Amino acid sequence: MVAPAAVPPDALVDAAARLRETARFRPALARYCRGMADAGPIAWPAQKLFDQYRRYLVGYMLIHNWYAWTSAGGPLPTVAALQKIAGASARQVGEVVAMLSARGFVTVTSDASDRRTKLLAPAPALVGEIGRSVRLFVGAVDEILQRRPAWADALADADRLGIVLQRSAAYVRTNGTLIHPFPRVLQFAGRDCGYPLLCAVVGAHYAETIPGAPRAAPVGARRLAARFGVSAAHAASLLADARRQGWFTTGPRGRLAIPAPDLLDEFERWASWQMAHFQELVDTVPCEPTRGPAVG
């Protein structure tokens, strides 16, 4: 199972604080938000598989199991192995795997040494979509550190990105999640397309307040709904719920959304932890990922 939230190591917290203290932090985070707020490369309804925390976690751990096996000598990446660590019931895991398989995001292959054993292999499209936020966070660090060549470009390789995701998931299994210490970010992530909506609102705020921030994606309920492949009623509900809890200030029909200062602080701390976490991991990824054992 996924380990419960825990206080991260001091080194990660310190690295995150250093990133956040730089003048380039918020402009870089603004570009992250715009990247997450833009419509993804995968069209509805498939994109909805990934924009909700529990379903995302199944894909994340499926990728972990595959690359732990192919690159780190881990156990066979079977459905049973995934059900043990995915943070959802066996039935829920089976349903998500079935949906992913039906849409070509997962391939069921046979172990070369025992063809009765079925292995779950993530397609590059699954790695890319689950790792989309990862690449954008690494790109933000590239910008903050003015790093050339950019590591985010290197993560265009699905295997290299898959190894980063595997090592991230291994960290989470051992040390606990990095999202649970940020309950409002987690609450958004727990609803369909809630996290990209939060990013859109934060990005719109940065566009109005930070010189050099990218132009904001529209944050009206209908425009958000069209971008994320949900109903206008669902997008309006997300905005209205956030308004009721004092997290957003919204105008008529959700045309204006401004994050509360304490929510913005929480989001920035969450983002800085993510940046520090993936910055540490990309430094350990080999230039040429090792292909794993044969499958039939």
Side-chain angles (χ1 to χ4, degrees):
M1 293 292 291
V2 177
V7 176
D10 290 342
L12 186 147
V13 175
D14 291 345
R18 288 193 297 272
L19 290 169
R20 194 176 175 192
E21 288 166 359
T22 67
R24 289 186 287 270
F25 174 77
R26 287 188 177 88
L29 183 54
R31 266 172 276 284
Y32 167 86
C33 289
R34 180 58 201 246
M36 290 300 296
D38 285 341
I42 295 176
W44 185 92
Q47 74 175 33
K48 289 183 64 179
L49 289 170
F50 312 112
D51 283 339
Q52 193 271 346
Y53 178 71
R54 288 297 178 189
R55 294 193 297 270
Y56 178 95
L57 194 60
V58 173
Y60 177 66
M61 288 301 177
L62 188 154
I63 292 166
H64 165 275
N65 283 3
W66 176 259
Y67 284 96
W69 178 61
T70 60
S71 301
L76 296 175
T78 62
V79 171
L82 181 61
Q83 289 169 333
K84 293 178 181 179
I85 69 170
S89 70
R91 178 184 60 80
Q92 290 170 329
V93 171
E95 289 175 350
V96 174
V97 170
M99 288 188 291
L100 293 173
S101 299
R103 290 166 173 81
F105 293 113
V106 171
T107 301
V108 179
T109 63
S110 297
D111 181 16
S113 62
D114 181 357
R115 297 188 65 82
R116 295 171 299 176
T117 301
K118 303 304 180 183
L119 311 179
L120 302 179
L126 177 64
V127 177
E129 189 59 25
I130 293 294
R132 184 179 176 203
S133 179
V134 175
R135 284 193 68 197
L136 289 168
F137 273 131
V138 172
V141 179
D142 288 334
E143 181 176 342
I144 292 167
L145 301 181
Q146 297 183 307
R147 183 165 53 195
R148 294 293 181 272
W151 252 106
D153 294 342
L155 295 183
D157 178 273
D159 284 333
R160 191 175 288 114
L161 179 58
I163 290 174
V164 171
L165 287 166
Q166 183 268 316
R167 294 180 182 180
S168 173
Y171 173 94
V172 166
R173 291 189 65 201
T174 301
N175 299 287
T177 72
L178 291 178
I179 194 171
H180 280 82
F182 304 101
R184 286 172 291 190
V185 175
L186 178 62
Q187 185 163 325
F188 278 102
R191 299 185 65 181
D192 284 345
C193 299
Y195 182 72
L197 182 142
L198 173 61
C199 291
V201 171
V202 172
H205 173 70
Y206 285 147
E208 294 290 330
T209 58
I210 296 176
R215 184 177 179 180
V219 292
R222 290 188 180 277
R223 300 290 290 274
L224 289 168
R227 191 177 313 122
F228 300 139
V230 296
S231 69
H234 178 69
S237 175
L238 287 170
L239 293 168
D241 287 351
R243 181 179 66 245
R244 281 193 295 270
Q245 297 184 76
W247 299 347
F248 291 168
T249 300
T250 59
R253 293 180 294 279
R255 288 184 177 174
L256 173 68
I258 302 172
D262 57 340
L263 173 62
L264 188 63
D265 179 73
E266 180 179 317
F267 183 82
E268 289 182 350
R269 287 188 294 114
W270 143 259
S272 68
W273 282 26
Q274 289 290 287
M275 291 180 195
H277 172 62
F278 290 113
Q279 164 64 17
E280 180 178 5
L281 294 179
V282 296
D283 286 340
T284 69
V285 175
C287 294
E288 296 297 334
T290 301
R291 300 285 175 167
V295 294

